[in-house]
Amino acid sequence: MSAQLIDGKKVAARVRDEVAEAVAQMKEKHNYTPGLATVLVGEDPASATYVRSKQRMCERLGIHSVGHTLSADATQEEVETLVAKLNADPNINGILVQLPLPKHLDEEAVLNTIDLEKDVDGFHPVNIGRLAMKGRDPLFIPCTPAGCMELLADAGVEINGAEAVIVGRSNIVGLPMAMLLQKANATVTICHSRTKDLTEHLKRADIVVAAIGWAEMIKGDMLKPGVAVIDVGINRVDDDTRERGYKLVGDVEFDSAAEVAGAITPVPGGVGPMTIAMLMKNTLRAAEIALAK
Ligand code: GUN
């Protein structure tokens, strides 16, 4: 391996330490504790696990957290009523509605109900719209893309003028990531499942962000030497040598990519720990906004 390893565990720990310190200061100086409410609709095990980790991290950093779980058949009105209640709750600074919501619910309408100043996920249509526009800034940036930007900064990757290729166009990662890199003056290409010649695009890229959810789809021979690779994928693949029967891999084939890249994130231990760290940072920011009022 010749690439520099971008250590998400280390960067996330630094972000969390900064948040914990700022939370302690806020308590001391203002007698104020940031609060995060999570909303989980249904019992999808992966979503439940994510929400639990977010709550546990709040506890670790001194942030007040309240978890709400609604049944999988909750109505649109029930979800929106809960969000409205949390909007009005002065002890809650951030509201996180875990996605995806069950199919019968209108996701955009729910996200639109969240108070802009409590939108710690940055998924409110107004925050996303501001992210997309020149000269405007959202109050909150979506956590996973914000974490990817921190990792690029930590690795000293030059974004200004760089060719960036994002593989994947999800609302949660690919799309906001493209907008962030564009704001930072990269020339951005978004590739996806219908892209005709992915390798042709990748071969030009100084920065690759892989967020397509396809295990080890991007190989070293598809990359330009020296590229910075941010792998957002977390995929389970069978592995009989492990007791649990599977291992986690990214969307990039790590070993071959690390021979070609200048810098690369591992999976696990790359982007993964950053998402929750950035959520904690956004929750602190929401508390600072509330406190300033
Ligand atoms: N589902 C997958 N990632 C996320 C995230 O960052 N926030 C929310 N709310 N739901 C998600």
Side-chain angles (χ1 to χ4, degrees), residues 40-269:
L40 174 65
V41 186
E43 279 132 36
D44 175 68
S47 288
T49 303
Y50 286 135
V51 166
R52 264 198 309 277
S53 342
K54 290 166 187 180
Q55 289 166 343
R56 268 204 296 270
M57 189 57 74
C58 281
E59 275 164 40
R60 258 179 72 184
L61 305 192
I63 294 172
H64 165 65
S65 93
V66 185
H68 294 270
T69 305
L70 298 178
S71 67
D73 60 359
T75 64
Q76 185 77 21
E77 195 188 346
E78 281 172 309
V79 182
E80 290 186 17
T81 302
L82 172 58
V83 171
K85 208 176 90 193
L86 297 168
N87 281 339
D89 185 341
N91 294 317
I92 293 301
N93 303 113
I95 302 170
L96 180 136
V97 177
Q98 186 65 26
L99 303 178
L101 289 169
K103 292 263 179 301
H104 68 280
L105 294 171
D106 178 345
E107 178 184 296
E108 184 178 342
V110 170
L111 296 175
N112 207 16
T113 314
I114 298 174
D115 186 327
L116 262 189
E117 296 188 343
K118 297 192 177 190
D119 178 35
V120 286
D121 252 330
F123 293 157
H124 189 291
V126 170
N127 269 326
I128 290 288
R130 287 180 184 165
L131 186 63
M133 283 186 217
K134 211 172 161 182
R136 315 253 167 102
D137 285 309
L139 280 173
F140 301 99
I141 295 170
C143 304
T144 302
C148 295
M149 294 300 279
E150 284 279 338
L151 292 177
L152 287 169
D154 183 76
V157 175
E158 174 79 30
I159 299 176
N160 197 359
E163 290 282 337
V165 170
I166 322 290
V167 187
R169 53 178 162 178
S170 70
N171 290 335
I172 292 178
V173 184
L175 183 90
M177 190 69 220
M179 297 191 295
L180 273 173
L181 285 168
Q182 175 170 260
K183 262 197 175 8
N185 299 322
T187 300
V188 176
T189 304
I190 302 178
C191 296
H192 44 74
S193 55
R194 307 288 171 87
T195 296
K196 287 204 177 108
D197 189 343
L198 177 62
T199 304
E200 182 199 325
H201 294 286
L202 290 173
K203 280 280 181 192
R204 280 189 292 107
D206 305 306
I207 298 169
V208 169
V209 180
I212 195 144
W214 180 342
E216 300 179 315
M217 179 242 211
I218 298 172
K219 321 279 184 201
D221 63 4
M222 299 163 78
L223 299 168
K224 178 166 114 174
V227 60
V229 177
I230 304 292
D231 190 352
V232 184
I234 301 178
N235 309 288
R236 279 186 186 195
V237 296
D238 292 342
D239 182 355
D240 293 340
T241 67
R242 300 190 188 214
E243 202 174 310
R244 61 186 182 181
Y246 69 88
K247 65 175 176 175
L248 296 177
V249 299
D251 292 350
V252 178
E253 188 180 73
F254 184 85
D255 289 346
S256 63
E259 292 301 324
V260 180
I264 186 167
T265 59
V267 176

Side-chain angles (χ1 to χ4, degrees), residues 262-283:
I264 186 167
T265 59
V267 176
V271 175
M274 292 305 296
T275 299
I276 295 188
M278 299 314 286
L279 174 67
M280 300 296 108
K281 192 168 171 174
N282 279 351
T283 304

